[in-house]
């Protein structure tokens, strides 16, 4: 199989490319490099630089590389930003997906893996979110991911494409320091940045209906997430007509305050957080049930929260050597 991985030069995408190639699959990266980094693409893996809105380039990439499956990760993904820029998010995330799927259908590509998100659930009033939990997204970002799932499923059924929508929970960690998340948009690097600056980490709202008042999330190591993509891709290739929707999480909730405490412990800092107003679109608690993916693919997360923080910190220190404590 030859897999076109859109967004393959990004943080998650680079890990998926690594996992695919290590598993013996052939990968081709397609990335506009707006947030991706070309140096993350392994030697020998082709890089096509362009947008998923560019149908002509997509057609050429699929044909020239003999693509037999697509893993679609390219998307805008900041919840708060999507509230202020819904038109941009719908253009990039939904229209970009539609154009890509048109190219996939025209090229008769038989397998398609879609990067979705736990944001499709919104604020579920359950201890563990299953794939049957009603989807009520709270942000344009979550809406675009849910609409993407609908579109992928409909196109798959109409054209005989095996499809899977993978609902990521909160991703952290790194396989190697070179592949660490360099953006400061997710909780772990946001806390690292504040600690490095000598400033208190921020908690966005401490008045939620949770045990300590801060949001509770399910964190998944990016290496585990990447391995889930390999398992999914192989399932689709082996089983034509497959239609899967799967959570990728650990089934363990960790509050923002607990996470900051653990980060302080791992990094050697001791900086109490400060509380600021809530961000728009943040639900109080979202924790996965990972039973379905275990049953369907035999996949289970192997890494814990400490692994995530430790590996992410190694990547941060690589870029910010002065952050390391003696």
């Amino acid at each position: 199989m030859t897999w076109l991985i859109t967004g393959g030069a990004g943080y998650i995408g680079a890990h998926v490319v690594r996992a695919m190639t290590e598993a013996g699959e052939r990968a081709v990266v397609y990335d506009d490099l707006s947030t991706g980094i070309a140096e993350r693409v392994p030697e020998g893996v082709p890089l096509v630089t362009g947008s998923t809105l560019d149908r002509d380039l997509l057609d050429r990439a699929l044909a020239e590389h003999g693509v037999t499956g697509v893993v679609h990760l390219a998307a805008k993904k900041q919840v708060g930003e999507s509230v202020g820029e819904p038109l941009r998010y719908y253009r990039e995330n939904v229209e970009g997906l539609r154009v890509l799927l048109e190219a996939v259908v025209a090229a008769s590509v038989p397998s398609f893996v879609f990067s979705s998100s736990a944001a499709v659930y919104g604020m579920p009033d359950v201890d563990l979110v299953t794939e049957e939990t009603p989807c009520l997204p709270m942000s344009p970002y979550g809406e675009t991911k849910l609409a993407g799932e609908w579109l992928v499923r409909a196109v798959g059924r109409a054209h005989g494409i095996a499809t899977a929508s993978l609902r990521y929970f909160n991703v952290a960690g790194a396989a190697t320091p070179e592949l660490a998340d360099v953006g400061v948009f997710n909780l772990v690097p946001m806390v690292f940045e504040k600690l490095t600056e000598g400033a208190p980490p921020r908690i966005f709202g401490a008045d939620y209906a949770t045990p300590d008042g801060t949001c509770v999330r399910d964190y998944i190591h990016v290496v585990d997430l990447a391995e889930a993509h390999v398992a999914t891709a192989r399932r689709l290739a082996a089983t034509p007509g497959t239609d899967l929707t799967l959570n990728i999480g650990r089934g363990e909730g960790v509050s923002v305050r607990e996470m900051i405490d653990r980060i302080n412990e791992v990094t050697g800092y001791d900086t109490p957080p400060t509380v600021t107003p809530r961000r728009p679109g943040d639900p109080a608690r979202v924790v996965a049930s990972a039973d379905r993916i275990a049953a369907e693919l035999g996949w289970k997360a192997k890494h814990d929260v400490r692994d995530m923080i430790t590996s992410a910190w190694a990547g941060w220190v690589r870029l910010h050597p002065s952050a390391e404590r003696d």
Side-chain angles (χ1 to χ4, degrees):
M1 294 285 290
T2 297
W3 293 89
L4 184 77
I5 302 175
T6 71
Y11 163 55
I12 294 174
H15 282 88
V16 173
V17 171
R18 177 181 181 272
M20 284 285 205
T21 56
E22 289 185 350
E25 303 289 343
R26 184 169 181 267
V28 177
V29 171
Y30 189 102
D31 200 301
D32 68 4
L33 301 182
S34 59
T35 57
I37 300 170
E39 288 73 22
R40 283 177 171 153
V41 179
E43 185 177 353
V45 173
L47 169 61
V48 180
T49 304
S51 167
T52 54
L53 293 162
D54 188 338
R55 173 64 190 279
D56 289 341
L57 183 59
L58 286 167
D59 287 341
R60 292 198 300 274
L62 293 173
E64 291 174 6
H65 295 283
V67 171
T68 52
V70 172
V71 179
H72 180 47
L73 298 103
K76 300 301 179 188
K77 64 174 187 176
Q78 302 307 319
V79 169
E81 182 182 67
S82 78
V83 174
E85 300 184 51
L87 288 171
R88 180 186 181 205
Y89 271 68
Y90 272 85
R91 181 181 68 249
E92 296 287 340
N93 293 4
V94 179
E95 177 62 6
L97 173 60
R98 185 194 67 79
V99 174
L100 174 60
L101 285 168
E102 280 189 342
V104 163
V105 169
S108 299
V109 175
S111 300
F112 194 94
V113 181
F114 176 59
S115 166
S116 188
S117 168
V120 301
Y121 293 116
M123 191 183 292
D125 187 20
V126 293
D127 287 336
L128 291 178
V129 177
T130 74
E131 291 82 356
E132 305 306 319
T133 299
C135 292
L136 298 168
M138 297 174 61
S139 67
Y141 167 68
E143 293 167 4
T144 65
K145 287 300 184 180
L146 184 56
E149 290 188 13
W150 295 340
L151 183 54
V152 166
R153 185 175 301 114
V155 171
R157 289 173 177 171
H159 297 279
I161 301 169
T163 64
S165 292
L166 304 182
R167 293 173 175 171
Y168 305 173
F169 282 64
N170 291 61
V171 185
T176 67
E178 294 77 16
L179 294 184
D181 189 359
V182 299
V184 188
F185 304 108
N186 299 320
L187 177 63
V188 173
M190 287 172 67
V191 174
F192 289 169
E193 181 182 54
K194 290 299 182 183
L195 294 178
T196 302
E197 293 173 347
R202 289 183 296 173
I203 292 175
F204 295 101
D207 57 349
Y208 288 92
T210 61
D212 66 12
T214 68
C215 292
V216 173
R217 296 289 183 266
D218 189 339
Y219 293 88
I220 181 75
H221 199 297
V222 68
V223 170
D224 287 328
L225 177 67
E227 291 176 356
H229 282 76
V230 174
T232 303
R234 288 185 162 172
R235 170 67 178 277
L236 298 190
T239 315
T242 297
D243 174 15
L244 295 174
T245 301
L246 302 171
N247 288 339
I248 306 184
R250 297 171 55 250
E252 177 186 322
V254 181
S255 78
V256 172
R257 192 177 294 278
E258 290 172 334
M259 196 69 170
I260 292 173
D261 288 344
R262 295 188 192 187
I263 291 171
N264 268 314
E265 178 186 345
V266 167
T267 61
Y269 283 79
D270 186 21
T271 308
T274 186
V275 176
T276 62
R278 294 185 181 190
R279 295 182 302 187
D282 274 348
R285 173 186 169 89
V286 187
V287 180
S289 165
D291 291 345
R292 180 180 289 183
I293 191 170
E296 290 282 355
L297 305 180
W299 175 91
K300 184 178 181 180
K302 301 172 184 175
H303 297 87
D304 61 19
V305 169
R306 188 176 185 87
D307 292 336
M308 298 177 215
I309 297 170
T310 300
S311 60
W313 181 241
W316 183 267
V317 169
R318 175 178 173 268
L319 295 176
H320 308 86
S322 62
E324 189 169 22
R325 286 296 174 101
D326 295 332

